[in-house]
Amino acid sequence: MNTRFLDACWGKPVDRTPVWLMRQAGRYLPDYMRVRSTCTFLELCKTPELAAEVTIQPVDILGVDAAILFSDILTPVEPMGMKLDFVPGPVFENPIRTMADVEALRIPQMEEDVPYVLETIKILRRELATKVPLIGFGGAPFTLACYMVEGKGSKDWATIKKMMYAAPDVYAALMEKVTTMDMEYLNAQIKAGAQAIQIFDTWGGVLSPVDYERFVLPYTQRLINGLNRENIPVIHFVKGAGTMLDIVKQAGGNVMGLDWHCNLGTARDIIGPEMAVQGNLDPTVLYAPKDVIEREVKRVLDENGGRPGHIFNLGHGILPTVPPENAIHMVECVHRLSQK
Ligand code: CP3
């Protein structure tokens, strides 16, 4: 088993910098499209053999140092009582707007309501046993609440922000319930065999630092504190956190995920040596010629400056039209240029 990824999460020395890509399973891979053409996205998430197959594809094709469970951050929200569809972005038919809506949400029984997620993890642990560790994941409470309140993606997230300011009791009740669900969901993933957990807060950066501190931090902090984390590193990725790293750090976790809007070295100086970092190549660099990809990989490695506790990744998910050979090249460059 290649332990480079887990070692780096704990800040231990490694032979080469470990690398994986956020959203590494998906539409840019013809192998994924072949499986995906036989069913809908939700059916794929709910069929453990197929979900496991597409999880492993990027491990074999790209040569990355970790696998990430194939599912979606919104999978456990559906059994809370919300009607979910992907078109391809997520859409909820019945968004949350009132206290009555929040009260009607139930906390799923993970073994009964999302058995397919736990079964996929068990299959993957067997199939990855001699390969790489498996990352489980969930959305941060705020990013989940963003979709639950808006009902779909948004440019400005004005509906949830309005709730935050104009109906803070409804917002708080929703966040409490989502946090409790999230904690039980991620602990169920750990129990099933996930070896690390990544928390995606894709929309945390749409708030001012002071609103992040008031309206998001307490919930993510409670979530991370409530995880059964012994031997399980937690990666906390907040997109747009570059101007509030000192605040986001207070949520806890072992690894801070960084997007490409910050310099990785400067971010490490602010975060301090007790947390590892993950990131942070601009995903669009994967459209560049091979020599430019190599130059940019080297720049990110140089920004880290040989400090322990760096996991190479993109600053956000890989884009669906990236040529797979460019992602393969990026992984090869990280391993070659960081070799001790
Ligand atoms: O390879 C992996 O990283 C594991 C699988 C994974 C998916 N979604 C599969 C997916 C992960 C980790 C996610 C997380 C996720 N989902 C996030 C957080 C990370 C991020 O990118 O910010 C968010 C915000 C979502 C919600 C979501 N799901 C959106 C906005 C979309 C539509 C846009 C898009 O990228 O397609 C999805 C659909 C989705 N989730 C697909 C996949 C492979 C595409 C569905 C398809 O095959 O048609």
Side-chain angles (χ1 to χ4, degrees):
M1 156 79 86
N2 164 358
T3 62
R4 225 176 255 150
F5 163 77
L6 290 173
D7 289 340
C9 286
W10 298 114
K12 293 184 193 161
V14 285
D15 58 343
R16 298 160 183 213
T17 301
V19 52
W20 67 280
L21 283 71
M22 287 192 275
R23 307 293 292 270
Q24 65 190 13
R27 287 163 297 182
Y28 74 104
L29 286 178
D31 307 71
Y32 171 82
M33 291 310 286
R34 186 176 41 74
V35 177
R36 176 69 174 73
S37 68
T38 65
C39 58
T40 67
F41 172 65
L42 266 174
E43 285 164 353
L44 181 47
C45 293
K46 292 178 184 180
T47 311
E49 292 72 24
L50 294 182
E53 182 183 342
V54 298
T55 300
I56 295 174
Q57 284 173 355
V59 175
D60 293 336
I61 296 168
L62 307 181
V64 287
D65 298 296
I68 181 160
L69 167 72
F70 189 83
S71 185
D72 196 82
I73 58 167
L74 298 170
T75 314
V77 174
E78 189 181 43
M80 292 183 87
M82 298 203 65
K83 294 190 185 65
L84 174 62
D85 200 4
F86 284 89
V87 292
V91 179
F92 287 114
E93 197 181 288
N94 52 336
I96 304 297
R97 299 291 160 83
T98 65
M99 193 59 108
D101 294 337
V102 176
E103 280 163 2
L105 291 170
R106 55 185 286 271
I107 307 288
Q109 293 293 319
M110 299 307 163
E111 316 271 338
E112 278 134 53
D113 289 307
V114 288
Y116 39 85
V117 173
L118 309 179
E119 181 57 26
T120 304
I121 292 174
K122 289 175 192 160
I123 295 173
L124 282 167
R125 281 301 305 276
R126 286 197 296 275
E127 296 191 352
L128 291 168
T130 59
K131 293 186 174 183
V132 294
L134 176 65
I135 306 170
F137 74 92
F142 178 69
T143 287
L144 295 179
C146 279
Y147 287 103
M148 293 168 79
V149 171
E150 300 282 343
K152 56 183 186 326
S154 165
K155 271 200 162 60
D156 49 24
W157 303 98
T159 316
I160 186 165
K161 286 179 156 189
K162 181 179 169 195
M163 179 189 279
M164 206 154 78
Y165 299 124
D169 54 331
V170 179
Y171 175 82
L174 173 62
M175 289 292 282
E176 281 300 338
K177 219 158 181 173
V178 172
T179 304
T180 300
M181 179 285 291
D182 221 358
M183 196 185 293
E184 294 180 12
Y185 179 59
L186 294 175
N187 278 330
Q189 289 190 27
I190 292 171
K191 193 171 163 214
Q195 291 159 289
I197 292 291
Q198 171 146 333
I199 297 169
F200 286 93
D201 207 351
T202 306
W203 304 116
V206 303
L207 299 177
S208 66
V210 70
D211 279 345
Y212 178 90
E213 191 167 9
R214 272 195 289 235
F215 293 111
V216 178
L217 179 64
Y219 303 97
T220 307
Q221 215 165 36
R222 177 161 88 80
L223 170 64
I224 294 176
N225 270 326
L227 298 182
N228 302 323
R229 291 172 56 195
E230 211 176 326
N231 282 316
I232 307 291
V234 172
I235 307 166
H236 183 205
F237 171 69
V238 181
K239 185 159 181 280
T243 57
M244 51 183 185
L245 291 168
D246 52 328
I247 302 169
V248 173
K249 181 189 165 182
Q250 294 169 40
N254 306 87
V255 184
M256 180 92 88
L258 300 172
D259 71 19
W260 68 97
H261 297 114
C262 59
N263 175 295
L264 186 131
T266 313
R268 291 210 81 165
D269 293 340
I270 296 167
I271 295 163
E274 62 282 4
M275 261 185 117
V277 295
Q278 175 176 281
N280 71 342
L281 190 70
D282 182 335
T284 57
V285 168
L286 293 187
Y287 291 113
K290 295 267 184 341
D291 59 320
V292 175
I293 294 174
E294 173 154 352
R295 183 189 77 202
E296 293 304 301
V297 165
K298 182 171 187 305
R299 178 183 55 78
V300 172
L301 290 171
D302 287 347
E303 283 172 14
N304 184 59
R307 283 174 272 200
H310 177 214
I311 298 136
F312 199 100
N313 206 315
L314 300 174
H316 197 197
I318 187 167
L319 295 160
T321 53
V322 161
E325 65 266 26
N326 289 8
I328 295 169
H329 178 65
M330 185 202 93
V331 170
E332 189 272 320
C333 286
V334 173
H335 284 155
R336 176 165 42 80
L337 296 171
S338 66
Q339 188 160 11
K340 296 270 155 41

